[in-house]
Amino acid sequence: MARRSVLLLVAALIALAGTAMIVLYVQGIDARATKDQELVEVLVATETIDTGEAVSAAQEAGKIEKAEVRRADLVDGSLSSTSSIADLVAVGTIYPGEQLIARKFGSLGDTESLVIPDGKMAVSVELTDFERVAGFVNPGNEVAVFATALDPVALLPEGEEQKLGSVTRIVLTRVPVLGVGTTSVTSRTTEGEDGATTEEVARTILTIAVTQDEAERLIHADRVTELNFALLTDDSKVENEPGADLGTIFPELNLRRLP
């Protein structure tokens, strides 16, 4: 009799434990379902954000707003704030209704295609590492462009030609770099006291955004002078001045540049 009572008690306990497990399982399903239906805040595009468009510009244009979506519909990596992408640009087109995700933003150099500012055109120049600031110039940077004319010739009023000393001056005061192309190696031969010397020189194509007038000056300078790029910061002071020649560097020589 006692044995039967013990067996009944054990059976009752097992049934109770099974019921409790079923209840907990159902409650877990309900909790997960409720969590998936929970609304969370996320940033979405209200208008098309173009490739290369800055986050700040898109915000000012009202293209980014906060919205609530179900947690189940939340895209992996979605953003609820622009603080982490404030200084970046869209690296691909973002369409209305899309959630903003971090991997869709980066620097200009990360964009899917060359982004040319409105009213400007892209012009490429091939430079050595030395001429492009030892390779520190990257897409998104701003540069000034200098040209050095080697022994240009002046036409005197009498119709005679006179060779001038080399002169260096600024061609473009501040232009944005759009892209840095592939690097190639070329040979350069220089004449010295011991004869000709040939060396291998790495050259890289840099593409910058310019107006038509700037493009004309840059292309002509690239054909007839030697170019150097100077890397700028927001605080760099750059002015369009007459430039420098040997007389500027050595004023004690009392050299004069012809008008």
Side-chain angles (χ1 to χ4, degrees):
M1 187 71 179
R3 182 179 179 184
R4 181 181 297 175
S5 298
V6 171
L7 291 174
L8 289 173
L9 179 60
V10 171
L13 290 174
I14 292 174
L16 183 61
T19 302
M21 291 178 66
I22 292 172
V23 170
L24 291 174
Y25 176 73
V26 171
Q27 287 179 339
I29 293 176
D30 289 341
R32 287 193 295 273
T34 302
K35 184 178 180 181
D36 286 342
Q37 297 303 315
E38 178 188 358
L39 294 178
V40 293
E41 199 171 69
V42 67
L43 294 178
V44 298
T46 58
E47 297 179 38
T48 300
I49 301 175
D50 298 318
T51 300
E53 186 171 355
V55 172
S56 57
Q59 279 186 300
E60 290 177 5
K63 296 183 177 183
I64 298 175
E65 289 185 358
K66 288 186 177 180
E68 289 186 336
V69 300
R70 296 186 311 156
R71 186 174 294 278
D73 298 327
L74 195 64
V75 177
D76 186 34
S78 59
L79 300 169
S80 59
S81 167
T82 60
S83 58
S84 62
I85 59 171
D87 299 326
L88 303 179
V89 301
V91 296
T93 303
I94 300 174
Y95 297 96
E98 271 194 67
Q99 297 179 29
L100 301 193
I101 55 179
R103 65 174 178 269
K104 286 210 169 184
F105 297 90
S107 65
L108 274 176
D110 299 326
T111 54
E112 295 174 349
S113 60
L114 195 63
V115 181
I116 305 174
D118 292 342
K120 295 197 174 183
M121 59 186 73
V123 174
S124 297
V125 179
E126 190 177 42
L127 302 169
T128 66
D129 282 347
F130 165 75
E131 292 163 344
R132 66 184 184 98
V133 201
F136 287 106
V137 177
N138 295 301
N141 291 150
E142 290 186 309
V143 295
V145 182
F146 293 84
T148 299
L150 301 175
D151 297 323
V153 175
L155 183 63
L156 300 180
E158 298 80 10
E160 298 179 356
E161 292 184 350
Q162 179 171 332
K163 212 176 220 187
L164 305 177
S166 299
V167 59
T168 299
R169 66 157 299 159
I170 196 164
V171 178
L172 304 176
T173 54
R174 185 181 288 269
V175 291
V177 177
L178 300 180
V180 179
T182 56
T183 299
S184 60
V185 178
T186 58
S187 298
R188 180 170 63 187
T189 302
T190 55
E191 295 289 341
E193 295 181 357
D194 299 329
T197 302
T198 301
E199 59 179 336
E200 300 297 317
V201 179
R203 302 184 68 88
T204 301
I205 296 174
L206 261 66
T207 303
I208 58 178
V210 292
T211 63
Q212 178 180 335
D213 176 67
E214 291 172 333
E216 291 168 350
R217 286 187 281 140
L218 176 63
I219 292 171
H220 185 73
D222 185 39
R223 297 293 187 272
V224 300
T225 70
E226 293 187 1
L227 297 181
N228 281 85
F229 280 33
L231 182 60
L232 305 178
T233 68
D234 292 339
D235 298 324
S236 297
K237 306 297 181 184
V238 189
E239 296 181 4
N240 189 0
E241 295 183 341
D245 58 7
L246 198 58
T248 308
I249 301 171
F250 300 103
E252 66 276 9
L253 297 180
N254 196 28
L255 300 174
R256 183 175 64 88
R257 185 191 308 173
L258 293 178

